[in-house]
Amino acid sequence: MPSSVREKKTKLILEVAIKLFTEKGYAATTMDEVAKTAGISKGLSYFYFKNKEDLYMAVTKKAFDELKGVFRDIFKQKGKTGLQMLTDLASDYIKFAQANRMYNDAILNFMGIMQLYTQESGRQQIHPLILESEHFQKLLDIHHDCGKLGIQMVSQGIKDGSIRPELQPEVTFYTIWSMIIGYERLTGPVAFEEKEVKIHLDNWKPGFLKLMQDMLKGTIQAQKPQAVQASLF
């Protein structure tokens, strides 16, 4: 089969899978539905993707590729400090997650898989078809690509003076990323009108961004206790 035909079919199946996963969810979507909606035979769909798990890993890889594009677009902008890049990243990541809910869920699902994968006993809890997927193997190679760009943003900020110099870039970026992911996950509970906690999305986002900036700049400083001299007698 010519490579151009294979690429077109692969792209078509991925697009259909993304549409169905978004509309129905992963669990409720079958390979039969994907093949039927794509206008191809079920047997041919298995030529491109061995099973639904393999297909979902391919979709997850595409999700990471799209997210990497968000990171790359920010990092390549000229004239911005590292702090400005990280602030833009926080806003753009939230927009990405909200506009591409299925992609974001796939990325977070993969992070959960990796939590098991890095524990020897945890691998037994991962579906074996996921571990066999060639796309899962590709994800193992590329899932830190976004992190590498984020670390460079922190390093740039330390270099240009917008981020305090004593911070360690790797630890700092992954801490910031965890904060951004947590923010996005909590937008639902915060938006719930019947909650007892007095916080609203309108004032939470600017407050979140300011707190993040203050942490990186070093505006937030612990008060050192003053030494008290006293006689022991």
Side-chain angles (χ1 to χ4, degrees):
M1 182 181 293
S3 60
S4 60
V5 175
R6 184 185 179 97
E7 289 172 3
K8 288 180 181 178
K9 291 290 186 182
T10 300
K11 182 180 178 182
L12 173 61
I13 294 171
L14 278 175
E15 290 174 348
V16 169
I18 291 167
K19 180 176 182 294
L20 291 175
F21 289 156
T22 301
E23 293 175 352
K24 302 182 63 175
Y26 171 76
T29 301
T30 66
M31 287 293 283
D32 281 346
E33 289 177 292
V34 173
K36 184 177 180 180
T37 306
I40 62 175
S41 68
K42 181 180 178 181
L44 185 58
S45 69
Y46 283 111
F47 173 78
Y48 293 98
F49 300 99
K50 295 179 180 179
N51 42 62
K52 191 170 75 166
E53 289 77 14
D54 185 42
L55 178 57
Y56 192 63
M57 288 299 100
V59 170
T60 302
K61 183 182 180 303
K62 182 170 176 57
F64 269 100
D65 289 339
E66 294 292 325
L67 181 59
K68 183 178 178 180
V70 174
F71 276 69
R72 190 189 299 114
D73 287 345
I74 292 171
F75 185 68
K76 70 181 183 182
Q77 292 176 6
K78 303 295 184 182
K80 289 198 171 183
T81 66
L83 182 61
Q84 288 172 327
M85 286 190 285
L86 287 169
T87 302
D88 289 346
L89 178 63
S91 294
D92 288 357
Y93 181 94
I94 294 165
K95 291 177 184 176
F96 169 85
Q98 294 174 345
N100 304 277
R101 181 62 61 191
M102 201 283 300
Y103 276 168
N104 191 53
D105 287 345
I107 290 169
L108 295 182
N109 178 69
F110 180 77
M111 291 179 179
I113 292 174
M114 287 305 300
Q115 192 173 24
L116 295 173
Y117 189 78
T118 52
Q119 304 168 9
E120 188 146 350
S121 60
R123 293 192 186 188
Q124 299 174 2
Q125 301 176 48
I126 303 173
H127 198 298
L129 294 180
I130 290 178
L131 297 176
E132 294 172 8
S133 170
E134 65 174 295
H135 301 290
F136 176 73
Q137 297 303 317
K138 291 177 181 177
L139 280 162
L140 292 179
D141 293 331
I142 63 95
H143 74 280
H144 275 300
D145 286 356
C146 293
K148 292 175 184 176
L149 287 168
I151 291 166
Q152 291 183 65
M153 294 179 195
V154 176
S155 297
Q156 174 60 39
I158 293 172
K159 183 178 179 181
D160 63 39
S162 61
I163 295 176
R164 60 192 217 238
E166 75 274 15
L167 294 180
Q168 204 274 346
E170 287 82 2
V171 172
T172 300
F173 173 71
Y174 277 94
T175 300
I176 292 298
W177 196 1
S178 70
M179 289 171 58
I180 297 171
I181 291 173
Y183 172 92
E184 193 282 324
R185 291 283 92 174
L186 284 170
T187 53
V190 169
F192 185 58
E193 294 181 358
E194 297 181 19
K195 64 181 182 298
E196 295 181 2
V197 179
K198 295 182 179 180
I199 181 173
H200 301 280
L201 289 176
D202 290 343
N203 57 30
W204 187 34
K205 183 176 180 179
F208 171 81
L209 293 175
K210 184 179 186 304
L211 178 61
M212 186 188 79
Q213 291 172 332
D214 288 346
M215 289 170 60
L216 292 170
K217 290 187 296 185
T219 304
I220 300 175
Q221 296 179 353
Q223 294 293 324
K224 294 182 179 179
Q226 295 183 356
V228 178
Q229 294 182 350
S231 172
L232 294 178
F233 303 99

